[in-house]
Amino acid sequence: RYAWGLNELKPISKQGHSSNLFGNIQGATIVDALDTLYIMEMKEEFKEAKEWVEKNLDFNVNTEISVFEVNIRFVGGLLSAYYLSGEEVFRKKAVELGEKLLPAFNTPTGIPWALLNIKSGIGRNWPWASGGSSILAEFGTLHLEFVHLSHLSGNPVFAEKVMNIRKVLNRLDKPEGLYPNYLNPSSGQWGQHHVSIGGLGDSFYEYLLKAWLMSDKTDEEGKKMYYDAVQAIETHLIRKSSGGLTYIAEWKGGLLEHKMGHLTCFAGGMFALGADGAPNDKTGHHIELGAEIARTCHESYDRTSMKLGPEAFRFDGGVEAIATRQNEKYYILRPEVIETYMYMWRLTHDPKYRQWGWEAVEALEKHCRVDGGYSGIRDVYNNHESHDDVQQSFFLSETLKYLYLLFSEDDLLPFEHWVFNTEAHPLPVLRKDDGHKEENQK
Ligand code: DMJ
């Protein structure tokens, strides 16, 4: 009603919201929400969205975009919409957009730029990123989509680009077996030795595991990189507070910052999803680790007035799982905690995960629901809402989809057949014995 065809909604001012992540590409919320509409059987709305994509989604624009954000939301959204509905328009648009992203890889190492002008093909990095570095969670979160683009287009170039990223990473020494968040695409050397399983690092680890799962467990390289990384994370980053809460700290040149981001909370689900393949009889241990992270993240919600979690919470200065800095107290409708509840529910069927999910539903309805949609909150510790007036597109693609799956049967998008990209867009497992069967696994 208020922002149709624009990127995001401002639910209080009831108008469009544009973020520079997508440049002049329009329709982020429509594309991000396509599969959610399909899964929720909102057929009329899906049809309207499809018509908008057919008539209006245009990538022939002179604009600079974030390669990572456009990949996870637009390419991922279009690929899922195609696999779920079988509608050719989504496949065509996904491949067309994938082709527009290819010039980002024109760097001396093939590690892509963060930002790309999709008309001129000129790329660059974020000016704040450690001496011209690319970001681990950005260049490490292209793999799933690019493998599918090769599969659907018959053009191997997409898969080659992401396999080369692995090659560069495997040639490098890793401090204590950890992956720094910054890598210079020209020199091929790490930037600052900062390590995070939250912002700047997060979905790189997620995609190692999911690449292996999506390959029908044939991608041994992805598997090894994932379990080796988890080993290093456990040794150097995972700690327990005196109150018994397990958390994942950040690492700065060997020193720990005892802070965990909301973004980091996705790792509970990741550990549980990877438990089955864990080496050395560690399946139970990885499930337990997932459960402990889920509990810590639930505490970060429960210890606020609004029962919604802050952007980051700390385990120092006498606090546990609480934000201490004013600029870390906001909640922008992020999905990671609910995502972890969903994985933990599917993998353990412990009813507490549905209870915790329902607490989040009630809090969202009470504090984020406004006349024109859902809004983020500036301070979750305050009793009175100060709304940020933005409905992020991932609220529809992830937060609501993961809630829906948390309360659905396990045979809706079963994990044996589907892997979720980092924006919650389901992609089919590519069967080793039948490269095309996946289209039938709806
Ligand atoms: C989403 O775009 C994705 O989940 C990404 O991996 C991290 N940030 C947002 C949600 O918080």
Side-chain angles (χ1 to χ4, degrees), residues 68-69 72-73 202-203 206 263 334-336 339 394 398 422-423:
F68 160 77
E69 296 288 354
I72 65 169
R73 304 194 203 204
D202 48 9
S203 40
E206 175 186 357
L263 290 165
R334 287 198 194 278
E336 291 76 17
E339 173 181 353
F394 51 68
E398 297 199 72
T422 196
E423 189 78 0

Tab-separated table of all heavy atoms in Angstrom, residues 68-69 72-73 202-203 206 263 334-336 339 394 398 422-423, ligand 1:
chain	number	residue	atom	x	y	z
A	68	PHE	N	27.500	-8.298	-2.028
A	68	PHE	CA	26.988	-9.253	-1.044
A	68	PHE	C	25.468	-9.101	-0.840
A	68	PHE	O	24.713	-10.062	-0.928
A	68	PHE	CB	27.742	-9.032	0.279
A	68	PHE	CG	27.058	-9.571	1.504
A	68	PHE	CD1	27.078	-10.922	1.784
A	68	PHE	CD2	26.408	-8.716	2.392
A	68	PHE	CE1	26.456	-11.422	2.928
A	68	PHE	CE2	25.790	-9.209	3.532
A	68	PHE	CZ	25.814	-10.567	3.803
A	69	GLU	N	25.030	-7.882	-0.585
A	69	GLU	CA	23.606	-7.679	-0.278
A	69	GLU	C	22.723	-8.010	-1.482
A	69	GLU	O	21.658	-8.611	-1.329
A	69	GLU	CB	23.339	-6.230	0.168
A	69	GLU	CG	24.029	-5.827	1.460
A	69	GLU	CD	23.436	-6.471	2.718
A	69	GLU	OE1	22.404	-7.161	2.613
A	69	GLU	OE2	24.023	-6.287	3.792
A	72	ILE	N	22.712	-11.950	-1.796
A	72	ILE	CA	21.914	-12.761	-0.850
A	72	ILE	C	20.422	-12.451	-0.947
A	72	ILE	O	19.600	-13.340	-0.787
A	72	ILE	CB	22.416	-12.649	0.605
A	72	ILE	CG1	22.238	-11.227	1.171
A	72	ILE	CG2	23.868	-13.110	0.715
A	72	ILE	CD1	22.482	-11.128	2.679
A	73	ARG	N	20.079	-11.177	-1.248
A	73	ARG	CA	18.648	-10.833	-1.245
A	73	ARG	C	18.016	-11.000	-2.620
A	73	ARG	O	16.949	-11.607	-2.749
A	73	ARG	CB	18.448	-9.398	-0.748
A	73	ARG	CG	19.061	-9.182	0.626
A	73	ARG	CD	18.589	-7.900	1.262
A	73	ARG	NE	19.539	-7.448	2.266
A	73	ARG	CZ	19.239	-6.664	3.288
A	73	ARG	NH1	18.002	-6.222	3.448
A	73	ARG	NH2	20.161	-6.276	4.151
A	202	ASP	N	30.463	-13.768	10.032
A	202	ASP	CA	29.359	-14.738	10.188
A	202	ASP	C	29.061	-15.714	9.043
A	202	ASP	O	29.319	-16.909	9.118
A	202	ASP	CB	28.071	-14.017	10.618
A	202	ASP	CG	27.715	-12.770	9.792
A	202	ASP	OD1	28.356	-12.522	8.759
A	202	ASP	OD2	26.777	-12.043	10.195
A	203	SER	N	28.514	-15.207	7.942
A	203	SER	CA	27.969	-16.143	6.940
A	203	SER	C	29.057	-16.835	6.114
A	203	SER	O	28.753	-17.786	5.396
A	203	SER	CB	26.956	-15.442	6.049
A	203	SER	OG	27.390	-14.146	5.721
A	206	GLU	N	28.968	-20.108	7.794
A	206	GLU	CA	27.681	-20.721	7.435
A	206	GLU	C	27.742	-21.343	6.036
A	206	GLU	O	27.265	-22.455	5.811
A	206	GLU	CB	26.616	-19.607	7.486
A	206	GLU	CG	25.244	-20.002	7.028
A	206	GLU	CD	24.283	-18.797	6.979
A	206	GLU	OE1	24.681	-17.669	7.369
A	206	GLU	OE2	23.137	-18.980	6.540
A	263	LEU	N	23.855	-10.708	15.518
A	263	LEU	CA	24.201	-11.456	14.298
A	263	LEU	C	24.849	-12.802	14.638
A	263	LEU	O	24.646	-13.791	13.931
A	263	LEU	CB	25.146	-10.625	13.422
A	263	LEU	CG	24.546	-9.390	12.744
A	263	LEU	CD1	25.658	-8.470	12.236
A	263	LEU	CD2	23.638	-9.795	11.581
A	334	ARG	N	15.847	-8.147	13.337
A	334	ARG	CA	16.761	-9.197	12.861
A	334	ARG	C	16.243	-10.604	13.203
A	334	ARG	O	15.590	-10.798	14.230
A	334	ARG	CB	18.146	-9.027	13.512
A	334	ARG	CG	18.952	-7.868	12.979
A	334	ARG	CD	20.421	-8.075	13.354
A	334	ARG	NE	21.229	-6.882	13.174
A	334	ARG	CZ	21.740	-6.500	12.012
A	334	ARG	NH1	21.496	-7.206	10.932
A	334	ARG	NH2	22.474	-5.408	11.927
A	335	PRO	N	16.650	-11.601	12.367
A	335	PRO	CA	16.127	-12.957	12.531
A	335	PRO	C	16.978	-13.939	13.338
A	335	PRO	O	16.494	-15.015	13.686
A	335	PRO	CB	16.121	-13.449	11.075
A	335	PRO	CG	17.343	-12.796	10.476
A	335	PRO	CD	17.393	-11.420	11.117
A	336	GLU	N	18.258	-13.652	13.608
A	336	GLU	CA	19.200	-14.723	13.979
A	336	GLU	C	18.774	-15.559	15.190
A	336	GLU	O	19.020	-16.780	15.217
A	336	GLU	CB	20.599	-14.142	14.233
A	336	GLU	CG	21.297	-13.607	12.989
A	336	GLU	CD	20.776	-12.254	12.503
A	336	GLU	OE1	20.096	-11.554	13.293
A	336	GLU	OE2	21.042	-11.893	11.343
A	339	GLU	N	15.977	-17.758	14.095
A	339	GLU	CA	16.571	-18.740	13.167
A	339	GLU	C	17.158	-19.911	13.973
A	339	GLU	O	16.929	-21.090	13.668
A	339	GLU	CB	17.668	-18.026	12.361
A	339	GLU	CG	18.512	-18.886	11.468
A	339	GLU	CD	19.591	-18.038	10.739
A	339	GLU	OE1	19.561	-16.790	10.842
A	339	GLU	OE2	20.446	-18.642	10.078
A	394	PHE	N	14.686	-8.049	5.325
A	394	PHE	CA	14.880	-9.388	5.898
A	394	PHE	C	13.832	-9.748	6.943
A	394	PHE	O	13.732	-10.897	7.363
A	394	PHE	CB	16.306	-9.583	6.433
A	394	PHE	CG	16.814	-8.521	7.378
A	394	PHE	CD1	16.279	-8.349	8.639
A	394	PHE	CD2	17.870	-7.694	6.987
A	394	PHE	CE1	16.781	-7.386	9.512
A	394	PHE	CE2	18.383	-6.723	7.854
A	394	PHE	CZ	17.826	-6.562	9.119
A	398	GLU	N	13.250	-13.437	6.281
A	398	GLU	CA	13.833	-14.316	7.307
A	398	GLU	C	13.005	-14.427	8.577
A	398	GLU	O	12.589	-15.515	8.957
A	398	GLU	CB	15.222	-13.794	7.705
A	398	GLU	CG	16.225	-13.797	6.585
A	398	GLU	CD	17.638	-13.735	7.132
A	398	GLU	OE1	18.097	-14.740	7.697
A	398	GLU	OE2	18.289	-12.681	6.995
A	422	THR	N	21.853	-17.329	3.391
A	422	THR	CA	21.948	-16.535	4.623
A	422	THR	C	20.810	-15.527	4.771
A	422	THR	O	20.661	-14.904	5.821
A	422	THR	CB	23.327	-15.841	4.739
A	422	THR	OG1	23.498	-15.409	6.090
A	422	THR	CG2	23.438	-14.668	3.771
A	423	GLU	N	20.000	-15.371	3.744
A	423	GLU	CA	18.824	-14.496	3.807
A	423	GLU	C	17.554	-15.366	3.899
A	423	GLU	O	16.459	-14.911	3.598
A	423	GLU	CB	18.828	-13.587	2.559
A	423	GLU	CG	17.818	-12.473	2.517
A	423	GLU	CD	18.139	-11.234	3.364
A	423	GLU	OE1	19.185	-11.181	4.027
A	423	GLU	OE2	17.303	-10.311	3.343
B	1	DMJ	C1	20.486	-10.465	6.646
B	1	DMJ	O1	20.638	-9.723	5.496
B	1	DMJ	C2	21.274	-11.761	6.576
B	1	DMJ	O2	20.816	-12.651	7.537
B	1	DMJ	C3	22.753	-11.539	6.767
B	1	DMJ	O3	23.458	-12.756	6.813
B	1	DMJ	C4	23.005	-10.785	8.054
B	1	DMJ	N1	22.214	-9.575	8.171
B	1	DMJ	C5	20.804	-9.622	7.849
B	1	DMJ	C6	19.891	-9.973	9.002
B	1	DMJ	O4	20.253	-9.569	10.228
